[in-house]
């Protein structure tokens, strides 16, 4: 649910920030709105990319890092949502290092994910070469092409893009 704000609707992100306590308390009205709005955003994205050209990939915001965490830790050690939560923060940090969003935006997203009770830091996958392990696993991601890792990044709040990033910047994000 959280991913839909940064990728497509900052008004929804505002709503999530204001209503996270109600969502965490399983308030039926808040949950119904969150699910309805998430479905509307997903349907809009899918309708604009029925043949899966590239736009639909934005629905995987946080998943490139998140899937690496799941695979590296062993499936089930972290829940999918936990991996994606940390992955969204990592992808936002990468977006910031690429000059696409501000530090304030990353801090805002981190605070929201933390308020939802999700991890905001990636797991240690390898004590000797943690970033190397992440990179190796991310090269297996379905969005990767010819060994190049493609990330869903935030290109300004409410707008996502799919693009590559230099390994050096990815390593910085993982190492911090």
């Amino acid at each position: 649910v959280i991913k839909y704000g940064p990728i497509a609707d900052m008004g929804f992100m505002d709503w999530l920030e204001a209503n996270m306590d109600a969502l965490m308390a399983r308030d039926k009205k808040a949950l119904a709105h969150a699910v309805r709005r998430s479905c509307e955003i997903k349907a809009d994205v899918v309708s604009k990319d029925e043949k899966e050209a590239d736009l639909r990939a934005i629905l995987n915001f946080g998943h490139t890092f998140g899937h690496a965490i799941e695979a590296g830790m062993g499936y089930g050690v972290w829940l999918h949502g936990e991996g994606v939560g940390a992955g969204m923060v990592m992808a936002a940090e990468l977006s910031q290092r690429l000059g696409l969003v501000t530090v304030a935006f990353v801090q805002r997203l981190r605070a929201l994910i933390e308020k939802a009770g999700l991890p905001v830091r990636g797991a240690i996958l390898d004590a000797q070469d943690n970033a190397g392990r992440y990179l190796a696993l991310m090269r297996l991601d379905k969005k990767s092409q010819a060994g190049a890792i493609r990330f869903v990044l935030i290109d300004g709040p409410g707008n996502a893009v799919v693009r590559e990033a230099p390994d050096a910047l990815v390593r910085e994000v993982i190492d911090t």
Side-chain angles (χ1 to χ4, degrees), residues 77 90 133 140-141 156:
V77 176
M90 296 169 86
R133 179 74 174 130
L140 303 174
D141 187 86

Side-chain angles (χ1 to χ4, degrees), residues 53-77:
D54 207 28
L55 178 63
R56 194 179 298 198
I58 70 169
L59 298 173
N60 291 317
F61 175 55
H63 286 67
T64 303
F65 286 106
H67 288 160
I69 292 167
E70 287 179 279
M73 295 291 292
Y75 291 98
V77 176

Side-chain angles (χ1 to χ4, degrees), residues 62 64-91 93 118-135 137-138 170-176:
T64 303
F65 286 106
H67 288 160
I69 292 167
E70 287 179 279
M73 295 291 292
Y75 291 98
V77 176
W78 276 35
L79 297 174
H80 178 70
E82 292 171 327
V84 172
M88 285 190 289
V89 174
M90 296 169 86
E93 288 178 354
L118 296 169
V120 293
R121 297 181 59 87
I124 302 296
L125 304 182
D126 185 315
Q128 270 67 47
D129 185 13
N130 195 45
R133 179 74 174 130
Y134 269 87
L135 288 165
L137 290 166
M138 290 188 296
V170 177
R171 282 181 172 277
E172 287 178 18
V173 167
I174 294 164
D175 290 340
T176 57

Side-chain angles (χ1 to χ4, degrees), residues 70-160:
E70 287 179 279
M73 295 291 292
Y75 291 98
V77 176
W78 276 35
L79 297 174
H80 178 70
E82 292 171 327
V84 172
M88 285 190 289
V89 174
M90 296 169 86
E93 288 178 354
L94 183 57
S95 300
Q96 186 270 318
R97 289 173 191 269
L98 289 165
L100 304 174
V101 294
T102 64
V103 170
F105 175 82
V106 176
Q107 291 170 337
R108 181 179 173 195
L109 180 60
R110 180 184 292 113
L112 178 60
I113 291 168
E114 197 165 44
K115 192 172 185 181
L118 296 169
V120 293
R121 297 181 59 87
I124 302 296
L125 304 182
D126 185 315
Q128 270 67 47
D129 185 13
N130 195 45
R133 179 74 174 130
Y134 269 87
L135 288 165
L137 290 166
M138 290 188 296
R139 289 192 204 296
L140 303 174
D141 187 86
K142 65 184 176 183
K143 290 180 300 304
S144 293
Q145 294 177 343
I149 306 165
R150 298 177 67 224
F151 296 90
V152 178
L153 302 171
I154 304 303
D155 187 13
N159 187 49

